[in-house]
Amino acid sequence: MRTKVAIIGSGPAGLLLGHLLRQAGVDAVIVERQAREHVAGRIRAGVLERVTTDLMERLGLGERMSREGLVETGFNLADGERLIRIEVEALTGRQVVVYGQTELTRDLIEAAPERGLEIVWEAGEVALHDIESDRPSVSFVAKGERRRLECDLIAGCDGYHGPSRRAIPASAAREYERAWPFGWLGILADVPPCHHELIYSNHERGFALASMRSPTRSRYYIQVPLDEKIDDWPDERLWDELALRLGPEAAANMTRGPALEKSIAPLRSYVFEPMRHGRLFLAGDAAHIVPPTGAKGLNLAASDVAYLSEAIIAWARDDGEARLAGYSERALARVWKAERFSWWLTGLMHRFPDTGPFERAMQIAELDYIAGSTAMRTAIAENYVGLPL
Ligand code: APR
Ligand code: PHB
């Protein structure tokens, strides 16, 4: 097989990149380890910045998103008692859209065949070769047969656990990491949300988040210790805890229901530099991870791909290597700012093993300052809605 750009991974990064390249007439093939049903069914994030919705619209794939997505003009921070509204639209002129990553992924996968974007599903033993040469390739096993995809460039969009980042020699790279001493226990349920906007709550018992997927589907999270067992959290116990941590106003409007999905995810901050080595370009979770506080993960994957697609399309039109060479630095400048915002909001909103009365008082004082300062709320709003490309 031969193509111009071999894309490893069909998460949001790989799918958006594949579509953007095909739209510009650049050949691309996606090689994905999982089955199509698995990828299309994964429950992930749900808040889209303008960068992400713009890409879907530019691709002509924003129709269902604009019909079913919930436009949000603000969100709330809470201290266990009161809500502090961050008036995102009033402060920035922009909005975010609640539309599940599951739905976005489905729209992109369904449109792939008609746009000539080939996706090889269930590819085993995916490996990268000769990334330092100008004839790189990707080998894999599909339907029991060993195959090789020759290409000019490889885009590593294979998430945190994929092989792309590991193909870069350690001597050429630098890793930055912060592991957080807790995880998020999430529940998805077919019940109306307790509030029309998201609520991030810092309660003495720990963090909680009220989010949603639609007017009839809610997504909630609570902070739990890293060694917590999901079996220790039957639905009723989780609803009780959410009601306590989200505060009286949210609790009064909370509808309980059986869990459609329940899982625990650890929190991690991670950046790998540079995002390019030879003919290999990393995008999305393959190069960086943010804790979910602030919903930056998916949107960072989208902004990486906005930069990378532009660079690859210019190069394919014989614009030379300059844009390709500038990709990593450009993408990382935005990545670090989103890392900072996610790190800051995580620190402000969670209970840490060493959170004593003083640290708690500092968090409450900061929330009180935010409540009274338009300057602070503006800074939060412009980060939440997404920094410009
Ligand atoms: N070979 C091929 N594909 C692989 C391999 C492999 N060895 N390993 C992983 N993959 C695939 C995964 O199955 C997945 O479909 O790469 C894809 C990576 O997708 P994501 O993890 O969704 O990462 P990304 O596209 O960068 O999107 C980042 O998605 O999951 C969220 O929290 C994440 O919101 C963030 C966003
Ligand atoms: C979600 O709805 O899954 C969600 C929303 C906001 C976050 C994280 C997750 O910050």
Side-chain angles (χ1 to χ4, degrees), residues 43-47 98-101 184 187-188 198-200 207 209-213 218-221 291-297 345 384:
I43 309 294
R44 294 272 179 87
V47 179
V98 167
Y99 189 64
Q101 182 172 323
W184 277 18
I187 179 171
L188 184 73
L198 273 71
I199 303 174
Y200 294 82
F207 170 79
L209 170 60
S211 180
M212 69 202 89
R213 288 290 176 275
S218 301
R219 180 75 165 154
Y220 290 95
Y221 300 91
T293 335
K296 291 291 162 225
L345 194 59
Y384 193 78

Side-chain angles (χ1 to χ4, degrees), residues 333-344:
R334 195 170 188 279
V335 165
W336 276 115
K337 292 186 196 85
E339 287 282 350
R340 186 207 67 82
F341 179 66
S342 310
W343 160 85
W344 170 79

Side-chain angles (χ1 to χ4, degrees), residues 308-377:
L308 183 56
S309 60
E310 201 181 294
I312 294 177
I313 291 163
W315 162 84
R317 290 191 180 137
D318 222 16
D319 197 40
E321 299 266 331
R323 223 81 77 88
L324 286 182
Y327 163 68
S328 174
E329 203 183 326
R330 241 182 127 196
L332 282 165
R334 195 170 188 279
V335 165
W336 276 115
K337 292 186 196 85
E339 287 282 350
R340 186 207 67 82
F341 179 66
S342 310
W343 160 85
W344 170 79
L345 194 59
T346 302
L348 175 64
M349 300 308 292
H350 289 77
R351 186 176 176 85
F352 289 74
D354 63 354
T355 301
F358 183 82
E359 286 73 23
R360 169 92 189 140
M362 287 296 99
Q363 289 181 333
I364 298 299
E366 187 160 1
L367 285 165
D368 195 36
Y369 177 44
I370 291 166
S373 162
T374 309
M376 275 300 277
R377 288 198 309 283

